Every structure is written in C-alpha cells, then in structure tokens.
Amino acid sequence: MDNSFEFEDYLPIMAEKLGEQGLMEELAKGFHLLADPSSVTITLQSLKTNGPWLGLLHMSDSDLRAIIQLGDSKCRGELDLHDFCVAMLRTSPELMALALSSLCSG
C-alpha cells in the first residue's frame, strides 16, 4: 500500500488572486482551523484532532511532528501564527523562487 500523496501548490494562485494581505488573511484562517483553541498554537494533538478536516488523513505521528518541526523556530514543539505562515511559504517552491529572485534583483 502506497501511503504517499501528491502535493499541489496552490499558494502562488492564491497570492495572485488575493494579493499579499488577502493571502496572509487566508493563512491565518487555516492556522486557526488547525490550532488548539486554548494555546492558540498548532500542536501534535491539534493536528491529530483538526487535521483530518483539512485533508491530513492517515498521517503518522512522525509525519505530523515533521510538519511542526518544519516551522518551529523556537523549538517548542508547536507553531504560532508566524511560524505557520513562514512554514507555508517555505513549502511553496514557486513563491520561494519568486522571493529569491526579488532579493537578488533588488
């Protein structure tokens, strides 16, 4: 049984249609759907609880921890809104290439 899944990068389309401010507002909405309401952070438990509603089905604890580690800038084992937004942008190859080209040309 193949447990892999294909990643479709919709962030560039969202950024183009919504603009920078609109994209950040949508990322914040996604964050709050996944976050633990008491800590207002994304934790392993909140991903296990809320993740299936957003398509994170059949992911192991190890996979969910890897998602958190991708953006956990303070090594706390959780993501705040800033960490989440940075992680989402890092996982978009097209947006990262655009950001790097802007840095190199400006």
Side-chain angles (χ1 to χ4, degrees):
M1 178 177 181
D2 183 10
N3 288 333
S4 66
F5 60 94
E6 192 172 318
F7 174 74
E8 187 73 34
D9 186 7
Y10 292 109
L11 282 181
I13 296 167
M14 290 175 64
E16 183 179 323
K17 291 195 179 287
L18 301 172
E20 184 179 333
Q21 183 66 32
L23 176 62
M24 298 314 288
E25 289 171 3
E26 289 302 310
L27 287 176
K29 289 176 188 176
F31 170 80
H32 289 291
L33 289 173
L34 290 169
D36 176 329
S38 62
S39 66
V40 195
T41 59
I42 295 175
T43 64
L44 176 62
Q45 188 57 47
S46 73
L47 281 178
K48 289 168 74 170
T49 302
N50 303 327
W53 293 103
L54 298 176
L56 300 177
L57 297 168
H58 312 295
M59 294 185 77
S60 69
D61 284 7
S62 177
D63 290 335
L64 295 174
R65 278 190 201 94
I67 290 171
I68 292 171
Q69 288 173 345
L70 178 67
D72 185 7
S73 66
K74 299 174 187 92
C75 299
R76 299 169 303 166
E78 62 187 18
L79 301 176
D80 59 22
L81 178 58
H82 179 265
D83 287 341
F84 175 76
C85 289
V86 169
M88 291 300 293
L89 295 175
R90 280 185 185 159
T91 59
S92 174
E94 191 174 326
L95 285 182
M96 285 302 295
L98 182 62
L100 288 173
S101 70
S102 294
L103 288 174
C104 294
S105 66

